[in-house]
Amino acid sequence: MNNAVSLTARLLGAGLRALLVLTLVTGVAYPLLVTGIAQTAFRSKADGSQITADGRVVGSSLIGQSYLLPLEKGQRTPDADLRWFQGRPANGLGANTVNTRYRLLVSGATNLAADNPVLIRQVEAARAAVVRDNSVPGHPDQVPADAVTSSGSGLDPDISPAYARLQVDRVAARNGLPAARVARLVERHTEGRTLGFMGEPRVNVLELNIALRALTASH
Amino acid sequence: MGPVLAGVLQLLALTAALALVYVPLGTYMARVYTSDRHLRVEKWIYKGIGADPDTRMRWPAYLRAVLGFSLAGVLFLYLLQRLQGVLPGSLGFSSIEPAQAFNTAVSFVTNTNWQSYAGEQAMGPLVQTGGLAVQNFVSAAVGIAVAMALVRGLARTRTGDLGNFWADLVRGTVRVLLPLAFVAALVLVACGVLQNFAGIHEVGQFLGAPQQWNGGAVASQEAIKELGTNGGGYFNANSAHPFENPTPFSNLFEIFLILVIPFALTRTFGVMVGSVRQGWAILATMAAIWVGFVALMMWTEFAHHEGALRIAGASLEGKELRFGVGASSIFAVSTTLTSTGAVDSFHSSYTGFGGGITLLSMMLGEIAPGGTGSGLYGMLILAVIAVFIAGLMVGRTPEYLGKKIGAREIKLAALYILVTPALVLVFTALSMALPTPPHSMLNPGEHGFSEVLYAFTSAANNNGSAFAGLDANTDWYNTTTALAMLLGRFLPMVFVLALAGSLAGQQPVPVTAGTLRTDKPLFAGLLLGAILIIVGLTYFPALALGPLAEGLAS
């Protein structure tokens, strides 16, 4: 019995020593070295690909934002600010429930199954909203899937070129711009597949809206 | 070009990249684990540990070292989380509650990385970088070490010597994982993955109030998270989060990292047993399953014929637009066929059959190509079973690589096969039978059952992904999934090392005309058949209640 205890203690001791030594290598030296190089060679990317417009930081090109009107009295959820291009729904975005003195952005998906009535209602409501909001002047008959589904992170920065095009008339009307100018803007901000085959074609909503603001200001 | 063709091209590009590094990486790892030289830095580490890397270990000694090291890992990680609230470098985050801290400690030590917490709001940089990411390295190195012990058991004769655990652990970390992770981390930063120690800070938005971001050493952790088939995300959304996986290229690169070591280890195996063709046969079986499952997944996801997905027009719920349906399907299959469990899209919102494929991928035992090391030893156990079945058919004593598969060997292999199904089915049944655990389900009907089945399949197979609607942060799930992870990791290792010991002690049997050639396509086919029959018979009833019922209902 004593033998077993001392053997266990010896093994545990060796295990702990090994863990501490390897922690120094993989948990201290490695991340510090990577951070050092990253901060030297790819500073802006390592810090989150922030974008500046009009002299102030307006977010990250990688993180989707919401473009909403301020809450009015008695309203529970704010309305979309239809002057701006809208991103994908983010119904799975979590709230900060631990360490609540922070208001951290908590990423997340809905995790709803395809046959769940809640998801069916969400998709149908989103679809109806897209049709309603964009019905001036041409009626959209085809609502793209990305316009009515929540992404995996809830922070998807992109929409499909089809969804961006669908919003062109509305955005142009609300900003007093010719539709052709806004359509050209969307065209310029459409990114194809990487090397022609990786991922999907997309439009970065934040970058598009920044360009839209500049266009409106100069118009 | 349509999205289907783009998906297929991405699969081809990935396959080509994996093929390119297969021989050099596999051969290099064989050299690492057979060399008798020690690097200077390794000598320092051995001195720090106080272990002699040249001591030969028989299987019980090897096993004791594995268990001692892992137990130390669980204790250390548990304490680190329990003390987070008072330790510096934690952003003032509070300590983790006991049940969740135990679950997370076990989860990372067992290479599972099941997460019942949301990283960005619960774990500070000290725990993430100094605790969780460290286990990402060493738990992967432990897996490879055990696989190498089994390969030595097959390759050596009339000896008890399976190598030295400390040497295998340190070499795997220093010579294989660290250099690869270092390069991978820099590639990921160049794509846009975060790597800073900025802590929590505010960043302005286009409209409205600023956002609060939690920075961190994300790229360095992301690299080893994929490379070591760990899968625990820095953020709640895991590899769907743009700061973990910003571009279509980083997405394919991360899938590459997940698969590269498990596939290449079949080459290492071939070199070490003195016949690379033996490695080819194992590789062929793994690759056939992987490609087949990816094809099935793309088919069902592009068909998107269910409920909300039909109304939406594409299976994009829970998927990031920049990856699309094709690349998300490749990621989902690759992460569940290995023991990774990282996700770039949320499996719970896949089609009924798509979710079923992710479940079945894990139920195969994560052997195609499986986790780092655990995939290889899992597949070799099934190879032992396959030659045994073939031996029964022709009435000959089965043998594998010149080793007789006798009563002791087949008992150990059978015990290995029984562990995970027993854990999965018993815990799932208990969770359904007890009054409160079903309250954790998010979705109604078959899908709710699938959430529970998925949780225990993922835990017992050390995967870590989830049908994440399930509220797993309860005492019941934190405790039972932790038990499933522990037993699902270490019981099989006991049987693998015992088997390695008994194989190493044998006298080799001469090859005759009657020997079943295990380096031929016929054997790869036999192995594939054995896997599908064993897994099919074990899990069909459970699958029928969950994803099959859901998929057929639409």
Side-chain angles (χ1 to χ4, degrees), chain B residues 59 77 95 105 160 228 235 252 257 271 280 291 359 388 392 449 463 472 489 495 503 520 532 540 554:
Chain B
W59 80 264
L77 204 48
S95 298
F235 300 106
L252 278 188
L257 290 178
V271 171
W280 284 111
V291 171
L359 257 169
F388 173 71
L392 288 182
F449 170 74
N463 185 273
R489 174 76 164 178
F495 302 131
L503 291 171
K520 296 283 187 196
L532 294 178
F540 181 77
S554 59

Side-chain angles (χ1 to χ4, degrees), chain B residues 99 103 426-434 436-440 452 456 470-483:
Chain B
N103 182 282
V426 169
F427 278 127
T428 304
L430 280 177
S431 298
M432 299 310 290
L434 290 171
T436 42
H439 295 167
S440 282
V452 176
F456 290 108
L470 187 78
D471 173 18
N473 188 21
T474 65
D475 284 348
W476 168 259
Y477 286 105
N478 273 329
T479 312
T480 50
T481 54
L483 284 176

Side-chain angles (χ1 to χ4, degrees), chain B residues 24 31 35 41 66 83 132 155 165 184 226 245 267 279 285 311 331 347 399 407 420 428 458 466 483 487 519 522 536:
Chain B
R31 257 209 321 274
S35 145
V41 57
V66 168
L83 296 174
L132 303 178
F165 171 71
E226 314 293 11
N245 193 357
R267 170 82 186 184
T285 312
I311 302 167
F331 200 117
H347 298 172
E399 54 204 63
T420 38
T428 304
S458 173
L483 284 176
L487 297 172
D519 55 354
L522 175 69

Side-chain angles (χ1 to χ4, degrees), chain B residues 21-34 264 267-268 271 276:
Chain B
V21 298
Y22 175 73
V23 170
L25 180 60
T27 311
Y28 169 72
M29 287 194 288
R31 257 209 321 274
V32 166
Y33 287 99
T34 49
R267 170 82 186 184
T268 311
V271 171
V276 292

Side-chain angles (χ1 to χ4, degrees), chain B residues 114 450-460 465-467 470 477 481:
Chain B
W114 171 266
S450 296
E451 287 175 2
V452 176
L453 178 64
Y454 198 112
F456 290 108
T457 305
S458 173
S465 66
F467 270 7
L470 187 78
Y477 286 105
T481 54

Side-chain angles (χ1 to χ4, degrees), chain A residues 119-185:
Chain A
L119 183 63
I120 294 177
R121 271 200 303 279
Q122 280 181 8
V123 169
E124 279 172 343
R127 199 185 152 84
V130 170
V131 171
R132 185 191 64 226
D133 293 345
N134 297 287
S135 287
V136 193
H139 290 277
D141 44 356
Q142 286 261 304
V143 177
D146 61 296
V148 297
T149 50
S150 302
S151 70
S153 61
L155 303 170
D156 198 331
D158 304 311
I159 54 177
S160 64
Y163 186 32
R165 281 196 296 270
L166 187 153
Q167 301 186 59
V168 162
D169 285 334
R170 181 202 85 219
V171 168
R174 299 268 175 158
N175 288 284
L177 292 166
R181 297 281 305 267
V182 180
R184 267 208 304 282
L185 207 62

Side-chain angles (χ1 to χ4, degrees), chain A residues 22-106:
Chain A
L22 290 172
T23 299
L24 286 180
V25 179
T26 62
V28 179
Y30 161 74
L32 286 180
L33 187 61
V34 174
T35 310
I37 297 175
Q39 287 288 334
T40 316
F42 310 103
R43 176 119 212 195
S44 134
K45 292 198 159 164
D47 284 341
S49 309
Q50 299 178 19
I51 312 184
T52 320
D54 303 329
R56 69 178 192 99
V57 174
V58 293
S60 159
S61 63
L62 297 175
I63 301 293
Q65 301 185 11
S66 48
Y67 302 90
L68 304 171
L69 292 167
L71 263 184
E72 287 184 28
K73 255 200 200 128
Q75 241 186 346
R76 298 253 306 281
T77 46
D79 289 325
D81 187 344
L82 297 175
R83 281 192 306 147
W84 308 109
F85 283 94
Q86 297 290 315
R88 296 183 64 184
N91 296 317
L93 216 51
N96 204 152
T97 51
V98 198
N99 299 303
T100 42
R101 68 186 174 291
Y102 296 119
R103 290 172 292 105
L104 284 162
L105 209 57
V106 181

